[in-house]
């Protein structure tokens, strides 16, 4: 069937006994609920940009009653009502009808049916993280979905930082940056049919002296465990604004190794921790500061390095010149 937001759909159900005989004159009570489609909740970036909670709650839309006919059929009314879209952003739902059928003997059985519906027929998403290390630029995928959350084909046009438009197939991995991007905020634009995507992401490096983007709270730890090859773990702490007073403590077990405060003027604390025997099972680092009336507290454990227990095997072949019976 063809339907869209605002329509009222009439669905037909059928009640049968286990032997396949129609259940006649049975009372049917049903409820129509609107639920946010979980596939969209997983891929949408709106929940991280002040959109959390908008139209997210399940909502009962309609309750009705019916009686089964001689052939066991009955009809339910399903209003496809959606909340007013926020800033023309797409939203996707599942409209679920739950029906309870009670026969003349008082026995009740239940059934459900779901219809997917969105404020747009298709959606375009990208799995690029909001923060990316310059030495770990990932491959990304532009996914195109229909209203049921199934991937569909399409040709995506995209560009980075207002550069030349390029094309790729939807739902396939690609590298959007052929060269190393500088630390800072970057913009990715994409379009496929009527669907458009416009997102910003931050690229940063392990040797940055200041936050790569304007922020009151920058905290990054390159690893939660010291590498077994002796390489350091980088810890970055700070904010973009001047006159920042940061207090910190570094523990190993129950022992306090170091504590103090640092004054920063729009710059980062950028420390490289290399494992030492005095660290025992590892470090616990804590940083805290107050900016614009808000307290920022961060705590991170860095575990001791573990020996490489991977089994390395190699093929060896032994042949002799003995013959049977020798």
């Amino acid at each position: 069937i063809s339907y869209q937001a605002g329509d009222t759909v009439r669905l037909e159900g059928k009640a049968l006994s286990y032997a396949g005989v129609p259940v006649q004159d049975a009372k049917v009570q049903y409820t129509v609920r609107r639920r946010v489609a979980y596939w969209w909740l997983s891929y949408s970036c709106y929940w991280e940009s002040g959109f959390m909670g908008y139209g997210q709650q399940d909502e009962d839309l309609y309750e009705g009653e019916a009686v089964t006919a001689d052939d066991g059929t009955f009809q339910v009314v399903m209003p496809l009502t959606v909340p007013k879209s926020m800033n023309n952003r797409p939203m996707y739902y599942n409209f679920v009808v739950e029906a309870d059928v009670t026969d003349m003997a008082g026995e009740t059985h239940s059934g459900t049916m779901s219809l997917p519906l969105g404020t747009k027929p298709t959606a375009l998403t990208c799995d690029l993280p909001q923060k990316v290390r310059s030495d770990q630029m990932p491959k990304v995928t532009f996914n195109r979905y229909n209203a049921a959350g199934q991937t569909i084909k399409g040709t995506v046009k995209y560009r980075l930082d207002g550069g030349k438009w390029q094309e790729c197939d939807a739902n396939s991995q690609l590298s959007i940056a052929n060269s190393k991007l500088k630390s800072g905020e970057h913009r990715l634009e994409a379009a496929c049919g009527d669907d458009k995507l416009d997102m910003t992401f931050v690229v940063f490096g392990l040797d940055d002296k200041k936050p790569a983007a304007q922020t009151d709270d920058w905290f990054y730890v390159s690893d939660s465990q010291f590498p077994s090859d002796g390489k350091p773990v980088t810890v970055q702490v700070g904010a973009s604004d001047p006159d920042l007073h940061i207090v910190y403590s570094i523990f190993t077990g129950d022992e306090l190794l170091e504590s103090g405060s640092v004054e920063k003027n729009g710059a980062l604390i950028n420390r490289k921790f290399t494992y030492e025997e005095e660290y025992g099972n590892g470090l616990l680092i804590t940083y805290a500061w107050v900016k614009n009336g808000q307290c920022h507290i961060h705590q991170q454990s860095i575990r001791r390095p573990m020996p490489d227990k991977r089994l390395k095997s190699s093929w060896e072949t032994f042949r002799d010149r003995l013959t049977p019976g020798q």
Side-chain angles (χ1 to χ4, degrees):
I1 61 174
S2 176
Y3 57 90
Q4 60 185 357
D7 288 349
T8 297
V9 177
R10 293 186 180 272
L11 302 178
E12 184 177 276
K14 192 170 188 178
L16 300 173
S17 68
Y18 289 115
V21 179
V23 179
Q24 302 175 347
D25 297 322
K27 184 178 180 180
V28 182
Q29 291 184 317
Y30 64 91
T31 302
V32 178
R33 291 186 175 91
R34 183 185 63 229
R35 296 174 177 169
V36 172
Y38 289 108
W39 70 267
W40 178 244
L41 207 62
S42 301
Y43 290 105
S44 174
C45 63
Y46 303 149
W47 315 115
E48 301 174 4
S49 59
F51 198 61
M52 177 64 76
Y54 177 79
Q56 185 184 355
Q57 296 81 11
D58 292 353
E59 184 175 347
D60 290 351
L61 299 179
Y62 187 79
E63 293 183 354
E65 296 182 353
V67 177
T68 60
D70 292 343
D71 59 355
T73 60
F74 60 93
Q75 286 193 343
V76 299
V77 176
M78 178 180 280
L80 303 180
T81 306
V82 299
K84 185 178 180 182
S85 181
M86 181 178 179
N87 296 332
N88 295 319
R89 288 169 167 168
M91 285 294 297
Y92 295 87
Y93 303 94
N94 288 317
F95 288 79
V96 181
V97 57
E98 300 175 352
D100 296 327
V101 180
T102 305
D103 62 17
M104 300 296 290
E107 185 174 353
T108 300
H109 289 275
S110 302
T112 62
M113 182 178 178
S114 176
L115 289 179
L117 178 66
T119 55
K120 295 182 65 179
T122 57
L124 180 66
T125 67
C126 180
D127 59 0
L128 180 65
Q130 289 188 327
K131 288 185 178 180
V132 181
R133 267 174 50 179
S134 56
D135 60 332
Q136 295 181 344
M137 193 67 190
K139 291 186 176 181
V140 302
T141 303
F142 293 104
N143 286 307
R144 192 184 187 208
Y145 300 96
N146 61 17
Q150 300 171 326
T151 56
I152 54 177
K153 295 180 179 180
T155 300
V156 179
K157 294 177 61 178
Y158 69 94
R159 67 177 179 178
L160 188 63
D161 294 332
K164 182 180 178 181
W165 286 99
Q166 302 182 63
E167 290 187 355
C168 68
D169 292 331
N171 315 309
S172 60
Q173 276 194 336
L174 75 153
S175 298
I176 62 171
N178 296 324
S179 59
K180 188 175 180 180
L181 295 177
K182 295 182 179 180
S183 293
E185 197 170 69
H186 297 267
R187 181 184 182 188
L188 176 64
E189 300 170 86
C192 184
D194 294 331
D195 298 311
K196 291 180 172 54
L197 185 149
D198 192 341
M199 62 181 295
T200 58
F201 63 99
V202 176
V203 174
F204 69 99
L206 293 182
D207 297 322
D208 287 352
K209 303 301 182 184
K210 61 180 181 179
Q214 186 71 27
T215 179
D216 287 342
D217 186 353
W218 183 278
F219 183 78
Y220 175 77
V221 180
S222 62
D223 205 333
S224 60
Q225 181 172 320
F226 287 102
S228 57
D229 58 6
K231 292 183 179 179
V233 173
T234 299
V235 177
Q236 295 180 345
V237 187
S240 305
D241 295 336
D243 303 326
L244 196 66
H245 180 77
I246 302 174
V247 295
Y248 72 95
S249 298
I250 302 175
F251 301 88
T252 175
D254 296 330
E255 181 183 354
L256 176 63
L257 290 181
E258 182 183 338
S259 66
S261 62
V262 181
E263 307 293 332
K264 285 294 180 180
N265 190 14
L268 287 175
I269 296 175
N270 194 324
R271 294 189 62 171
K272 313 287 184 182
F273 291 92
T274 303
Y275 182 76
E276 299 179 10
E277 288 301 323
E278 65 174 323
Y279 294 168
N281 288 327
L283 295 179
L284 173 65
I285 59 175
T286 63
Y287 289 90
W289 66 93
V290 176
K291 195 63 184 176
N292 296 328
Q294 183 176 356
C295 183
H296 303 275
I297 302 175
H298 293 282
Q299 179 176 293
Q300 176 69 47
S301 296
I302 308 175
R303 301 187 304 273
R304 68 176 300 162
M306 298 299 292
D308 187 356
K309 295 184 178 181
R310 291 176 297 175
L311 181 63
K312 297 180 180 179
S313 59
S314 60
W315 286 101
E316 291 186 0
T317 302
F318 172 76
R319 291 190 178 92
D320 62 22
R321 299 181 182 278
L322 298 177
T323 58
Q326 288 183 309

